[in-house]
Amino acid sequence: GTNTQNIQIYISFTGFKGVMRVTNLTGTNIPLGENVKFIAFGKKQNNQYVMDVQTFNVTANQQIPLNMQNVSETDILNALAAL
């Protein structure tokens, strides 16, 4: 579905110790030029977990297309633990 409010997104900064939660698919006050690890995940109506993990440098007005892949709950927990 398109219930994007049900997608959880976290950003981990590689240049300093910090993790940020993104709400409503919009991040604000993210330092430009910073290298980040981006994790988005959710659960479909059929109870299948999905996740997208990306690493990139932050730029102004950046939009990140999500490429959600089927994963297990354990995959999500391991990705979050690695932040």
Side-chain angles (χ1 to χ4, degrees), residues 7-34:
I7 297 174
Q8 301 294 315
I9 299 176
Y10 291 89
I11 296 173
S12 172
F13 299 91
T14 58
F16 60 91
K17 288 189 176 189
V19 175
M20 172 186 269
R21 180 171 180 222
V22 175
T23 56
N24 297 322
L25 300 181
T26 304
T28 58
N29 299 322
I30 301 172
L32 297 180
E34 204 57 52

Side-chain angles (χ1 to χ4, degrees), residues 3-81:
N3 294 324
T4 56
Q5 72 274 15
N6 295 326
I7 297 174
Q8 301 294 315
I9 299 176
Y10 291 89
I11 296 173
S12 172
F13 299 91
T14 58
F16 60 91
K17 288 189 176 189
V19 175
M20 172 186 269
R21 180 171 180 222
V22 175
T23 56
N24 297 322
L25 300 181
T26 304
T28 58
N29 299 322
I30 301 172
L32 297 180
E34 204 57 52
N35 185 265
V36 298
K37 184 174 185 179
F38 169 97
I39 298 178
F41 62 92
K43 190 175 184 183
K44 293 181 182 179
Q45 289 180 338
N46 66 0
N47 290 325
Q48 172 64 56
Y49 290 99
V50 291
M51 178 173 66
D52 182 20
V53 178
Q54 301 181 38
T55 302
F56 54 86
N57 288 324
V58 177
T59 61
N61 302 313
Q62 189 169 16
Q63 294 184 7
I64 309 300
L66 296 179
N67 183 22
M68 305 295 263
Q69 301 294 315
N70 290 341
V71 295
S72 69
E73 181 179 14
T74 301
D75 292 331
I76 293 172
L77 294 174
N78 288 340
L80 291 172

